[in-house]
Amino acid sequence: MRPSDFVGNTPFLQISNRIFAKFETYSPSGSVKDRLAKYILDDAERRCLLKPGDMLVEATSGNTGIAFALLAAERGYRIKIIMPSNMSNERKHMLRMLGAELIEVGEGDFDEAIALRDKLASENDWFNTNQFHNPLNIECHFNTTGFEILGHLIAMKQTPAAFVSGTGTGGTIMGVAKRLRGIYPDVKIIAVEPAESPVMSGGEPGLHGIQGIGDGSKFLVDLNQIDEVITVPTEIAKQRTRELIKENGMLVGISSGANVYAAEQWEARNHSKGVIITMLCDRGERYLSCI
Ligand code: PMP
């Protein structure tokens, strides 16, 4: 066995009477992004696009980079990560420890990070994992996260009222939405974004502290598939995260607090039958300096 054999099949935790969440901290690198990294590398290896020693390159707020860096270490690839400079120091330390080479660009500037990644990939013939535009990202969550959630629902004999999820690339929400709607066409799909960067709500991108979501564009999100967008201010997301840690023993990161808060808001306003499902996306340790 190797670490990537333990990606996915995460626990399904009960947060309140009707709210349940996938506990992604159980994954080898501690976030939902292990799913995507494994899916993309497995696909590339099956198609013989990679050989040991090859360079991977990605633009990331951190978790995707950490996930790819762990898999690169496991499988003998090199990896170059381009990230906005305002991401937490814990993330940068983890990336360097896993052997990634870091290039930092301007605060919150994902467009610059993506443009530099594409330029470096084409100039050097590096393998561009392309998370923000890769259709495999949605396919991954359709086949893994969404499939697992269906299994939990069937085991619990429950139907889903809503799936509530913050969006970074949008891979999680689009893949899970496609899977759940195939069986439960009435399930509501609720996107979560930072109040300081309300792009899907029609506002302007801005700096915020909910690392991992609200990266400045909607990327893979098809707003036609989204029933509602809930905005959460950074300070409220942090407060809800601290409560999850102290009151529930769920040592999770800030986007998890945003997700749970949004799920609670949705529940308070809607009285439809069924459970509300959300994501606990990553571990809290990588935010000690900023929460
Ligand atoms: N929360 C955190 C902490 C993340 O790192 C990510 C991924 N960027 C997300 C939520 C959102 O996931 P997705 O990219 O699938 O929309």
Side-chain angles (χ1 to χ4, degrees), residues 31-33 61 63-64 91 131 137 141 166-173 211-213 215 255 281-282 287:
S31 91
V32 64
K33 285 301 185 173
S61 63
N63 281 336
T64 302
R91 289 176 176 220
Q131 62 162 336
N137 189 345
H141 290 286
T167 68
T169 61
T172 308
I173 200 164
Q211 296 175 41
I213 70 169
D215 293 339
S255 75
C281 305
D282 68 352
Y287 305 97

Side-chain angles (χ1 to χ4, degrees), residues 167 193-206 208 214-219 223 229 231:
T167 68
E193 66 181 356
E196 298 87 352
S197 190
V199 173
M200 289 183 290
S201 312
E204 293 296 313
H208 64 89
D215 293 339
S217 291
K218 62 185 181 57
F219 299 111
L223 285 175
V229 180
T231 57

